[in-house]
Amino acid sequence: MADKTIAIYCFFDDLFQAMNRKTDPHCKVNDAQIATTALLAALKFYGNHASACTYMHQHHQMKCLDKSGFNRRLHRLQPTLLLVFRSLGLSLKELNTSARYIIDSFPVAICRNCRIRVCKLLTGKAYHGYNEAKKEYFYGFKVQLITTVDGLPVDYYVTAGSYHDTTALQAMQVDLPAGSLLYGDSGYTDYEQEDLYAECEQIYLKIQRKKNSKRLDEPWQAYLKKVYRKPIERVISQIENLFPRKLHAVTAAGFLLKLFLFVLAFTIDANLPNTSYLAT
């Protein structure tokens, strides 16, 4: 764990120096330490920032910050962390010579169904969603995740829980290289979108077909689509395994920030040996 912590810190420290980002000299803790602590909390402490701060203080001599001060610093750092994720995604797209990608969604409940009436973070029926995999309703958000066929996240998009996958696909901007193949399950069936992306963006949506589809696949096409989209199920499972039983946050913005940190932490952890090129 110590080696991973040092590797993550070195990555952020080198990257922030390359970005010419300077920490206020009056701050006891630099931005690289804040980012490292936040990612360590997502990877090892189920998103608990206080536990991660304690670990960093005891094992890496990071000066103590109170909970409020750490959260303020982390929220100020959020735009930079989003930029890091986008830059990492662009680099992974350049390295993905197969030009094959996968899209899938997973729900993130903000509270149990019995507590919806007293939930203060969100209000409205737009957040009432249905989890088809578990055959149950939930209240919260739905994450659209795009990965390479090797299981490396390159982009993500968050919608309200009630949004159907086709609606989310229409709302998000799929930024993939021309000639890319994007595999998805039958929930993304939208013939107009498929034609539009193929004609305007040269991105070809390879969606699994339902039995009553107007564009049925040949058996070999159906088999390839099923095989190529399989890795994203493993990725989503690994990201969800990082979640605590209940993701604690005081505001909706704080909840979304923690959710993003889980995706970023998984991405950097999976690419840690190959991320040095981002700082060059």
Side-chain angles (χ1 to χ4, degrees):
M1 185 169 171
D3 292 340
K4 181 171 292 188
T5 304
I6 294 170
I8 293 174
Y9 174 78
C10 291
F11 163 70
F12 278 116
D13 190 48
D14 291 344
L15 186 58
F16 288 166
Q17 287 186 31
M19 296 170 65
N20 199 28
R21 180 182 177 86
K22 297 180 180 178
T23 305
D24 189 325
H26 296 95
C27 294
K28 298 185 294 183
V29 180
N30 63 40
D31 287 339
Q33 290 174 309
I34 296 291
T36 302
T37 305
L39 259 67
L40 208 61
L43 285 173
K44 300 296 183 181
F45 297 100
Y46 298 102
N48 190 314
H49 294 156
S51 297
C53 285
T54 301
Y55 169 82
M56 290 291 289
H57 173 67
Q58 293 178 347
H59 297 274
H60 299 280
Q61 289 73 53
M62 186 182 85
K63 294 185 178 180
C64 288
L65 280 178
D66 61 272
K67 185 177 180 180
S68 176
F70 180 85
N71 285 334
R72 287 197 300 270
R73 291 284 304 277
L74 184 57
H75 277 270
R76 287 202 299 267
L77 194 59
Q78 182 178 4
T80 303
L81 295 177
L82 283 167
L83 181 59
V84 170
F85 179 75
R86 301 300 178 194
S87 300
L88 183 55
L90 288 173
S91 299
L92 290 173
K93 293 171 191 176
E94 293 177 1
L95 295 173
N96 184 24
T97 55
S98 70
R100 291 195 296 265
Y101 299 87
I102 320 166
I103 185 171
D104 204 354
S105 64
F106 62 96
V108 182
I110 206 163
C111 68
R112 293 191 174 188
N113 289 337
C114 63
R115 298 188 60 83
I116 292 176
R117 292 180 179 273
V118 296
C119 179
K120 297 181 180 180
L121 294 189
L122 300 174
T123 56
K125 292 185 177 180
Y127 299 99
H128 289 262
Y130 183 70
N131 184 354
E132 183 66 33
K134 295 183 178 180
K135 307 296 181 183
E136 63 182 18
Y137 290 93
F138 71 96
Y139 188 71
F141 298 100
K142 185 181 285 187
V143 179
Q144 302 289 333
L145 187 68
I146 298 179
T147 72
T148 64
V149 288
D150 296 322
L152 303 175
V154 297
D155 204 354
Y156 88 114
Y157 188 76
V158 181
T159 67
S162 65
Y163 278 41
H164 194 270
D165 288 339
T166 54
T167 306
L169 186 61
Q170 293 170 3
M172 64 190 295
Q173 295 181 344
V174 179
D175 184 17
L176 296 175
S180 296
L181 308 176
L182 181 60
Y183 293 85
D185 61 25
S186 58
Y188 293 94
T189 300
D190 186 333
Y191 303 132
E192 185 178 347
Q193 281 289 103
E194 291 181 30
D195 295 338
L196 188 63
Y197 270 108
E199 181 180 352
C200 300
E201 306 291 340
Q202 293 185 333
I203 298 173
Y204 304 98
L205 302 181
K206 300 295 183 180
I207 308 302
Q208 286 185 289
R209 302 303 186 192
K210 299 178 182 179
K211 292 182 179 180
N212 61 348
S213 175
K214 297 178 181 178
R215 301 182 182 182
L216 289 173
D217 287 329
E218 295 292 334
W220 64 270
Q221 292 175 316
Y223 173 77
L224 287 179
K225 287 180 179 180
K226 184 177 181 180
V227 169
Y228 283 140
R229 69 168 299 275
K230 202 70 176 174
I232 199 169
E233 297 177 0
R234 171 179 54 81
V235 172
I236 290 175
S237 177
Q238 290 175 333
I239 292 175
E240 289 180 329
N241 286 339
L242 299 176
F243 292 172
R245 184 177 181 184
K246 180 183 182 301
L247 188 57
H248 174 73
V250 178
T251 63
F255 186 92
L256 290 173
L257 174 56
K258 278 194 171 184
L259 178 56
F260 162 68
L261 288 172
F262 282 112
V263 177
L264 177 64
F266 174 84
T267 306
I268 289 182
D269 186 46
N271 289 279
L272 206 52
N274 304 314
T275 48
S276 58
Y277 55 81
L278 284 178
T280 59

